[in-house]
């Protein structure tokens, strides 16, 4: 830190002892000499910036630093201030710079001309801009009299323009009292029209100093000045009673302290009164209307306070009671409680209660809807054509979620929207019913949406003596509604005692938000019909017999639950066919009927209907299990294994039919089909193990097993696939068209890094794409070869031409990497991204079975792809000689095999799979349906002579 005034300490001491400057005063910079002598400059960051305050033509200027921020103080000469007074301190500054330049300044005051001595901030502006000198001022009240210094601090960022200072002006400011505190108010007792205010007088002025002058207070009610007090005690307690209130209500009071300078500054202290005077009563609570026939009892809890929290005389309360319909029943009911009303007729009523006191009324409260006035006579019906149709119904949300039954005007029905856990009641008006009579309830119901089980609704119909959930204790009907069509439901019932009854519709349980509807409700007397039979069962005939035994117990009660006067007949139906009638059956007796005319194996619906005279009861329905012999289930656990080089198929036999019916497990047979070739090997297998003893060509084999029972057969089940068969004969060729074909090849991960060759079915090629050093083998299927010259051809490509792949080709008698493999070709740089043909001529050292190995050896592979392979023998044999014979030849012009003599003909593809096998007379065989490739044709003539040729199609 650098101080420009070198004799600062002596100057400061002199100023403390002799400063006589007192407000009002102006501290100006008149010339360079007085600036240097009387003003203090402190350059706090002199170690990084030489710029600081300097004299400039009657002013002081801080010239901008283009590289460093400012931290520079300009401190005015001393001034003497008195305790208990307030002073306005102003500095006049301006700014010269660009429009976006902003100065950061603060004005402070303290008892020493040092950074540490300036302790009180008067002004702070971090974005100051003005081309003209402007006043920046603050107010200060010293706690003690003495010498003070005013300093201007510039802390602007770099490149913010020049800052100019002109002068400091100090003048005495008025000192106002602070606001009063602890203002409270209490309303007059028992409704008196008065209020008592209490508060604490201020002990400090508006600047935070000790208050030396306090005259009194002005009191406002709302905006009206209602009192002026001219005595006060600094810091003391005060109180005042307002007795001039004319109208009851709530008022806002304001108390403002004042002194000789004027009223306390800033926001005045206010308080809002409680209700003053008599209040209107609060509304009654717990209003409940309950009905017993035509008598309605109205109970409620009276209010204890006013609706505004004010005073009411609870002993003087009266009540205005009304009924809709019916109007006002009492203008000033005062007891006894509860209020009792006799309604004139059956209807839906709502009651209202208004509490009254001192001519003031509470808010009107409405009761629940209550149905009162007696019972409806039958027949009763409701079509819900208007919303008023629900007036006599009781609707209850027993779970309290208020999502319940309501009227749907667009459909003219009653609906319940649903919810997470329904417990909703729709209860009819009281109906007059007589004991011993039978009644029929009809109604329609359906769903808004039946697309999923979540939309289904559980609905029960109940009956009870009151329109409450608790009283609805007898269930007449229960069903899960699952249809979006409105379906009519019928319930027959009776009552044990004569009197008034309510019928309830109860939707309950978990449900979504789609609606259930109720419509076209009716109740009337009905004829006597039997109840549904009980214990209805159907037992299918034994061992697949085409018969069924149907048994049940006849009803002894009517559908309404009363004793049957008679039981005229019972009818038994299979589907829609009447198969049995029992005249004059015994009530409550057991029946058994054997149906020996079941037309075909299957499941059947049986129905039993009882009659009283010609009146049929509800049918009892049961569906039988499977009658007759059933289709066998498929075998299970089918597995193909290698049994000493032969395919062995094992499986588990079925124990029942696909419909759960009878099958003759002792006489099941099994069909075995071999693929490729879809060759049926047997249809009469009775064991669950089959060994294929055929001399097989090398291929990937699967076996399909089908269960046979009489003329019925199960679904077929196919085994896993395994490779079997003798080594391939040459020539061999593959285009790698299928995974089955490539299953004949052997993959060896010689470095055991779990990354090796894989087959790409989309591109129809083998690929090695692991990004780690390759030591991975791809072996051809085994092939039979004679000693001598042979040719291998394969197509290969690389993923990236810049990253060549390497491969070696080997010949061996097994698929074990190592000494048994003889390298017959090396390709250290396969870099073409297009598939290229590679030809290897090699010699087989002896007759036998051999393998070609393709060994990927790239140390940093990106991708190696093999897309075809062929092996041909160049050894002349007797069979080759036969190719030159004209007895059998391939005519390429029309894709036909021509032969002079008939016999058994086989066509074998390059994979060793027989693709044609037939017996034919001499002539021509069309092979145009075969795909292009290398084939062997083998003809065994009737004389036993074998003729074999190779041909390319």
């Amino acid at each position: 830190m650098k101080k420009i005034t070198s004799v600062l300490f002596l100057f400061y001491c002199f100023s403390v002892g002799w400063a006589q400057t007192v407000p009002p005063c102006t501290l100006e910079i008149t010339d360079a000499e007085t600036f240097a002598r009387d003003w203090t400059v402190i350059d706090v960051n002199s170690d990084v910036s030489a710029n600081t305050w300097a004299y400039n033509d009657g002013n002081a200027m801080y010239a901008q630093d283009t590289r460093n921020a400012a931290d520079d103080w300009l401190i005015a000469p001393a001034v003497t201030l008195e305790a208990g007074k307030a002073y306005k301190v102003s500095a006049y500054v301006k700014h010269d710079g660009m429009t976006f330049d902003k100065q950061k300044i603060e004005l402070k005051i303290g008892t020493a001309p040092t950074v540490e001595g300036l302790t009180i901030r008067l002004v702070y502006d971090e974005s100051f801009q003005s081309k003209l000198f402007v006043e920046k001022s603050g107010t200060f009240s010293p706690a003690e009299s003495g010498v003070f210094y005013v300093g201007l601090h510039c802390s602007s960022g770099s490149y913010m323009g020049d800052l100019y200072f002109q002068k400091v002006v100090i003048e005495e400011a008025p000192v106002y009292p602070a606001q009063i505190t602890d203002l409270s108010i209490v309303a007059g007792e028992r409704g008196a029209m008065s209020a008592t205010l209490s508060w604490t007088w201020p002990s400090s002025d508006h600047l935070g100093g000790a208050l030396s002058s306090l005259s009194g207070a002005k009191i406002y009610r709302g905006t009206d000045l209602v009192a002026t007090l001219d005595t006060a005690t600094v810091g003391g307690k005060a109180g005042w009673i307002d007795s001039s209130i004319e109208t009851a209500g709530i008022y806002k009071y304001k108390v403002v302290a004042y002194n000789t300078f004027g009223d306390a500054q800033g926001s005045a202290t206010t308080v809002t009164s409680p209700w003053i005077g008599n209040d209107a009563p609060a509304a009654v609570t717990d209003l409940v209307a309950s009905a017993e026939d035509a008598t309605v009892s109205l109970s409620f809890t009276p209010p204890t306070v006013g609706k505004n929290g004010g005073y009411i005389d609870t002993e003087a309360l009266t009540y205005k009671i009304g009924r809709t319909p019916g109007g006002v029943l009492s203008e000033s009911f005062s007891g006894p409680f509860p209020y009792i009303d006799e309604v004139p007729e059956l209807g839906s009523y709502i009651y209202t209660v208004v509490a009254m006191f001192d001519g003031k009324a509470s808010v009107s409260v409405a009761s629940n809807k209550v149905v009162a006035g007696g019972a409806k006579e039958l027949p009763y019906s409701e079509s819900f054509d208007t919303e008023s149709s629900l007036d006599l119904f009781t609707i209850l949300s027993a779970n309290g979620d208020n999502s319940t039954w309501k009227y749907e005007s667009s459909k003219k029905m009653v609906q319940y929207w649903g919810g997470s856990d329904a417990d909703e009641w729709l209860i009819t008006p009281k109906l007059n019913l007589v004991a011993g009579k039978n009644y029929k309830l009809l109604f329609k119901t359906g769903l808004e949406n039946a697309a999923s089980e979540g939309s289904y609704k559980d609905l029960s119909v109940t009956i009870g003596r009151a329109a409450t959930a608790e009283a609805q204790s007898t269930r007449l009907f229960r069903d899960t509604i699952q249809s979006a069509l409105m379906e009519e439901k019928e319930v027959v019932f009776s009552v044990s005692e004569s009197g008034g009854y309510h019928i309830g519709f109860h939707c309950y349980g978990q449900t979504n938000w789609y609606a259930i509807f109720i419509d076209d409700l009716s109740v009337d007397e009905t004829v006597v019909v039997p109840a549904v039979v009980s214990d209805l069962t159907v037992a299918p005939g034994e061992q697949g017999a085409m018969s069924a035994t149907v048994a049940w117990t006849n009803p002894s009660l009517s559908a309404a639950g009363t004793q049957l006067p008679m039981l005229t007949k019972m009818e038994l139906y299979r589907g829609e066919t009447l198969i049995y009638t029992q005249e004059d059956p015994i009530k409550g007796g057991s029946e058994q009927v054997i149906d020996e005319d079941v037309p075909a194996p299957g499941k059947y619906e049986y129905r039993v209907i009882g009659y009283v005279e010609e009146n049929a009861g509800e049918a009892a329905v049961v569906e039988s299990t499977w009658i007759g012999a059933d289709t066998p289930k498929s075998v299970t656990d089918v597995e193909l294994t290698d049994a000493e080089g032969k395919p062995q198929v094992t499986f588990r036999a079925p124990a029942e039919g696909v419909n759960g019916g009878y099958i003759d497990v002792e006489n099941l047979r099994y069909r075995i089909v071999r693929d490729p070739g879809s060759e049926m090997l047997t249809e009469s297998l009775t064991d669950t193990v089959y060994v294929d003893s055929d001399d097989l060509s090398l291929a990937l084999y699967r076996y399909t097993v089908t269960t046979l029972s009489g003329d019925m057969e199960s679904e077929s089940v196919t085994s896993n696939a395994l490779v079997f068969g003798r080594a391939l004969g040459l020539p061999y060729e593959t285009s790698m068209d299928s995974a089955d074909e490539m299953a004949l090849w052997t993959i060896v991960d010689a470095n055991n890094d779990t990354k090796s060759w894989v087959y790409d079915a989309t591109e129809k090629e083998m690929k090695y794409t692991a990004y780690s050093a390759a030591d991975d083998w791809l072996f051809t299927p085994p092939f039979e070869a004679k000693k001598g010259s042979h040719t291998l051809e394969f197509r290969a490509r690389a993923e990236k031409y810049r990253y060549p792949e390497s491969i070696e080709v080997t010949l061996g008698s097994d698929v074990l990497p190592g000494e048994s493999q003889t390298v017959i070709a090396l390709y250290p740089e396969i870099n073409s991204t297009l598939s290229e043909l590679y030809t290897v001529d090699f010699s087989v050292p002896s007759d036998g079975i051999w393998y070609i190995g393709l060994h990927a050896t790239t140390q940093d592979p990106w991708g190696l792809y093999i897309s075809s392979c062929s092996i041909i023998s160049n050894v002349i044999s007797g069979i080759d000689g036969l190719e030159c014979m004209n007895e059998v030849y391939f005519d390429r012009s029309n894709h036909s095999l021509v032969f002079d003599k008939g016999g058994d003909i086989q066509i074998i593809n390059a994979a060793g799979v027989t693709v044609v096998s037939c017996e034919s007379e001499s002539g021509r065989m069309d092979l145009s349906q075969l795909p292009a490739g290398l084939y062997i044709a083998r003809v065994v003539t009737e004389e036993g002579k074998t003729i074999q040729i190779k041909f390319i199609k």
Side-chain angles (χ1 to χ4, degrees):
M1 179 189 297
K2 179 174 70 176
K3 296 185 179 179
I4 303 301
T5 304
S6 59
V7 292
L8 176 62
F9 177 73
L10 293 175
F11 175 77
Y12 167 56
C13 295
F14 176 81
S15 297
V16 170
W18 299 100
Q20 296 298 319
T21 304
V22 295
C25 61
T26 300
L27 306 176
E28 296 182 281
I29 299 173
T30 57
D31 52 48
E33 181 182 353
T34 58
F35 177 77
R37 184 188 67 228
D38 300 337
W39 294 76
T40 301
V41 174
I42 302 176
D43 184 1
V44 178
N45 63 343
S46 59
D47 56 334
V48 296
S49 173
N51 293 37
T52 191
W53 291 99
Y55 177 76
N56 182 64
D57 194 20
N59 305 308
M61 180 183 78
Y62 172 79
Q64 69 175 351
D65 190 327
T66 60
R67 303 181 67 180
N68 300 289
D71 190 1
D72 295 85
W73 293 79
L74 178 61
I75 304 174
V79 63
T80 301
L81 305 179
E82 295 183 33
K85 291 186 177 182
Y87 299 93
K88 179 182 178 183
V89 181
S90 303
Y92 289 79
V93 291
K94 73 174 183 177
H95 168 233
D96 185 14
M98 306 297 289
T99 56
F100 48 79
D101 292 342
K102 295 180 180 179
Q103 296 285 351
K104 183 187 292 187
I105 62 174
E106 64 176 337
L107 187 66
K108 300 184 76 172
I109 192 169
T111 58
T114 63
V115 174
E116 296 78 8
L118 301 176
T119 56
I120 307 298
R121 176 184 281 176
L122 303 175
V123 174
Y124 180 72
D125 189 345
E126 62 181 7
S127 56
F128 172 71
Q129 287 181 314
S130 176
K131 294 292 185 180
L132 301 176
F133 281 108
V134 295
E135 177 185 6
K136 304 294 286 185
S137 62
T139 303
F140 172 66
S141 180
E144 297 180 359
S145 299
V147 174
F148 291 85
Y149 298 86
V150 178
L152 179 65
H153 181 211
C154 176
S155 57
S156 307
S158 62
Y159 238 131
M160 286 295 167
D162 301 330
L163 180 65
Y164 293 85
F165 168 81
Q166 185 183 52
K167 59 185 176 182
V168 171
V169 176
I170 304 174
E171 54 190 344
E172 189 173 343
V175 178
Y176 302 100
Q179 299 290 348
I180 65 146
T181 57
D182 306 325
L183 179 59
S184 62
I185 188 169
V186 177
E189 294 183 353
R190 298 184 61 82
M193 297 294 287
S194 64
T196 300
L197 284 78
S198 301
W199 67 87
T200 300
W201 292 107
S203 59
S204 60
D205 59 33
H206 73 293
L207 298 175
L211 182 62
S212 59
S213 173
L214 178 63
S215 301
K218 299 174 182 178
I219 301 175
Y220 297 83
R221 186 194 318 122
T223 58
D224 297 332
L225 178 63
V226 295
T228 300
L229 307 183
D230 56 7
T231 59
T233 301
V234 173
K237 300 291 185 181
W240 178 76
I241 298 175
D242 185 1
S243 301
S244 62
I245 302 169
E246 297 179 353
T247 304
I250 295 174
Y251 295 93
K252 185 174 183 180
Y253 286 84
K254 176 173 67 176
V255 179
V256 182
Y258 69 92
N259 63 7
T260 55
F261 287 106
D263 294 346
Q265 301 297 292
S267 299
T269 304
T270 62
V271 66
T272 300
S273 74
W275 187 269
I276 298 172
N278 286 338
D279 198 358
V284 302
T285 55
D286 307 319
L287 176 58
V288 176
S290 55
E292 177 87 24
D293 294 329
T295 301
V296 177
S297 175
L298 198 64
S299 61
F300 55 86
T301 301
T304 58
V305 296
K307 67 179 180 180
N308 300 294
Y311 171 78
I312 60 170
D313 185 352
T314 55
E315 299 297 324
L317 290 173
T318 61
Y319 305 93
K320 181 179 180 179
I321 297 178
R323 183 186 69 211
T324 303
V328 177
L329 304 179
S330 174
E331 290 283 358
S332 56
F333 174 72
S334 59
F337 296 96
Y339 180 82
I340 302 299
D341 180 37
E342 297 291 332
V343 299
E345 59 183 357
L346 179 62
S348 174
Y349 298 96
I350 295 176
Y351 290 81
T352 58
V353 177
V354 178
M356 305 292 297
F357 169 64
D358 193 26
K360 300 179 179 69
S362 73
V363 173
S364 178
V365 178
S367 74
N368 54 298
K369 182 185 73 173
V370 63
V371 177
K376 288 278 189 181
E377 298 294 334
L378 300 189
Y380 168 76
S381 64
E382 182 55 70
S383 59
F384 300 109
D385 289 335
T386 64
E387 188 169 2
S388 61
S389 303
L390 282 178
D391 286 349
L392 300 183
F393 281 73
T394 300
I395 295 175
L396 303 173
S397 180
N399 59 8
D401 65 0
N402 294 319
S403 175
T404 191
W405 296 97
K406 69 175 187 177
Y407 187 71
E408 174 50 57
S409 58
S410 64
K411 297 181 181 295
K412 295 186 177 180
M413 300 178 189
V414 185
Q415 73 169 24
Y416 167 56
W417 267 351
S420 59
D421 192 9
D423 190 3
E424 314 305 321
W425 291 85
L426 174 69
I427 304 177
T428 68
K430 187 177 293 184
L431 306 177
N432 194 16
L433 304 179
V434 178
K437 290 188 176 183
N438 293 299
Y439 298 98
K440 180 189 293 184
L441 164 67
L442 296 175
F443 65 95
K444 291 179 181 177
T445 186
L447 302 176
E448 179 184 9
N449 183 309
S452 67
E453 290 187 12
S455 300
Y456 297 167
K457 301 290 187 294
D458 289 320
L459 180 69
S460 66
V461 178
T462 59
I463 191 169
R465 299 302 292 267
T468 64
E470 295 76 16
Q472 293 292 305
S473 56
T474 301
R475 177 178 286 161
L476 305 177
F477 167 91
R478 179 174 63 184
D479 194 10
T480 299
I481 309 304
Q482 303 180 10
S483 174
L485 301 176
M486 293 297 289
E487 297 177 344
E488 186 171 71
K489 305 293 182 180
E490 177 181 312
V491 180
V492 178
F493 66 97
S494 63
V495 295
S496 57
E497 297 180 0
S498 299
Y501 289 85
H502 299 266
I503 295 175
F505 295 84
H506 183 206
C507 184
Y508 58 93
Q510 201 74 15
T511 176
N512 65 16
W513 292 102
Y514 285 111
I516 181 175
F517 303 103
I518 300 289
D519 198 14
D520 295 332
L521 164 67
S522 66
V523 181
D524 200 0
E525 290 188 42
T526 186
V527 296
V528 177
V529 296
V532 179
V533 305
S534 59
D535 308 322
L536 177 59
T537 61
V538 179
E542 295 183 354
Q543 296 188 338
M546 295 300 293
S547 64
T549 300
V550 185
W552 70 87
T553 301
N554 294 328
S556 59
L557 300 176
S558 71
T562 59
Q563 289 293 325
L564 277 177
M566 65 180 71
L567 187 59
T568 306
K569 64 178 178 179
M570 302 297 296
E571 291 182 343
L572 172 63
Y573 289 81
R574 183 196 330 109
E576 299 300 322
T577 302
L578 176 63
I579 61 173
Y580 174 79
T581 301
Q582 173 68 50
E583 301 288 347
D584 297 322
I586 299 172
K587 292 185 290 183
S590 297
E591 300 283 354
Q592 180 172 296
V593 177
I594 299 177
D595 180 8
E596 297 182 329
D597 298 319
V598 179
K603 293 182 179 180
Y604 292 88
E605 182 182 270
Y606 287 86
R607 292 183 295 127
V608 180
I609 303 174
Y611 288 81
V612 174
E613 296 180 337
E614 296 303 317
N615 301 314
E618 182 182 348
V621 181
V622 65
E623 184 180 70
S624 72
T625 56
W626 191 266
I627 299 173
D630 199 357
T631 301
K633 282 188 173 181
S634 301
V635 299
T636 56
D637 303 331
V638 180
E639 184 178 16
L640 175 62
T641 57
D642 187 332
E644 298 181 353
K646 295 294 184 180
Q648 176 176 280
V649 184
T650 58
F651 52 87
R652 188 184 299 274
E656 62 178 1
V658 294
N659 301 293
Y662 171 81
I663 60 172
D664 186 356
V665 295
E666 299 298 327
N667 293 301
L668 294 177
R669 295 174 290 109
Y670 305 97
R671 177 192 300 132
I672 308 294
V673 174
R674 181 180 64 211
D675 280 303
S678 298
E679 184 173 353
M680 187 181 71
L681 304 178
T682 181
E683 279 192 314
S684 57
L685 180 67
T686 58
D687 196 2
T688 57
V689 179
Y690 178 80
V691 177
D692 186 357
S693 299
D694 287 355
D695 184 15
L696 300 176
S697 301
L698 187 66
L700 183 68
Y701 288 94
R702 297 179 180 86
Y703 291 79
T704 300
V705 183
T706 307
T707 308
L708 307 177
S709 178
D711 58 355
M712 294 179 289
E713 61 181 61
S714 71
E715 295 288 331
S716 298
V717 181
T718 301
S719 74
N720 53 303
L722 291 177
V723 175
F724 290 97
R726 60 184 180 276
L728 300 174
L730 297 183
Y732 168 70
E733 182 179 21
T734 178
S735 299
M736 302 185 176
D737 290 333
S738 70
D740 280 7
E741 184 178 350
M742 297 315 297
L744 306 182
W745 289 58
T746 301
I747 296 171
V748 178
D749 178 12
N751 58 2
N752 295 315
D753 64 355
T754 71
K755 298 167 183 175
S756 194
W757 293 93
V758 294
Y759 178 66
D760 187 335
T762 301
E763 300 298 331
K764 300 185 185 306
E765 58 188 1
M766 295 297 294
K767 62 182 182 180
Y768 181 83
T769 56
Y771 299 112
S772 62
D775 184 8
D776 294 86
W777 294 76
L778 180 63
F779 289 98
T780 67
F783 58 90
E784 287 190 57
K786 297 288 187 181
K787 178 180 179 180
S789 174
H790 294 71
T791 300
L792 164 70
E793 290 185 343
F794 64 94
R795 287 189 173 275
R797 67 181 177 90
E799 176 73 24
K800 303 282 187 180
Y801 77 91
R802 296 177 58 185
Y803 302 99
E805 305 288 337
S806 61
I807 192 170
E808 64 180 12
V809 183
T810 67
L811 175 68
S813 59
D814 54 34
V815 291
L816 299 175
E819 296 180 357
S820 62
Q821 303 298 319
T822 300
V823 177
I824 58 175
L826 287 171
Y827 297 98
E829 288 197 358
I830 297 176
N831 57 10
S832 174
T833 59
L834 299 176
S835 182
E836 290 189 347
L837 181 65
Y838 293 83
T839 302
V840 181
D841 292 317
F842 65 97
S843 179
V844 173
S846 62
D847 294 356
I849 297 174
W850 298 89
Y851 299 83
I852 295 292
L854 301 176
H855 181 201
T857 59
T858 313
Q859 290 304 299
D860 188 15
W862 280 71
L864 175 61
Y865 304 85
I866 307 295
S867 57
S868 69
C869 179
S870 67
I871 307 170
I872 62 173
S873 172
N874 302 315
V875 179
I876 301 299
S877 67
I879 294 178
D880 291 321
L882 290 176
E883 294 180 20
C884 301
M885 301 170 62
N886 291 328
E887 294 177 81
V888 179
Y889 67 92
F890 181 67
D891 184 353
R892 287 187 175 85
S893 63
N894 56 19
H895 303 289
S896 298
L897 185 69
V898 182
F899 42 91
D900 291 341
K901 297 180 180 181
D904 293 328
I905 300 175
Q906 284 186 313
I907 309 295
I908 303 167
N909 68 12
V913 177
T914 300
V915 295
V916 176
S917 180
C918 65
E919 186 177 341
S920 179
E921 300 295 332
S922 61
R924 182 182 297 270
M925 177 181 290
D926 181 15
L927 299 181
S928 60
Q929 80 279 7
L930 294 179
L934 181 66
Y935 295 90
I936 295 175
R938 182 182 292 126
V939 180
V940 181
T941 67
E942 294 176 352
E943 295 83 8
K945 180 182 180 180
T946 298
I947 304 171
Q948 180 171 304
I949 67 165
K950 292 181 290 185
F951 64 91
I952 297 176
K953 178 180 178 295

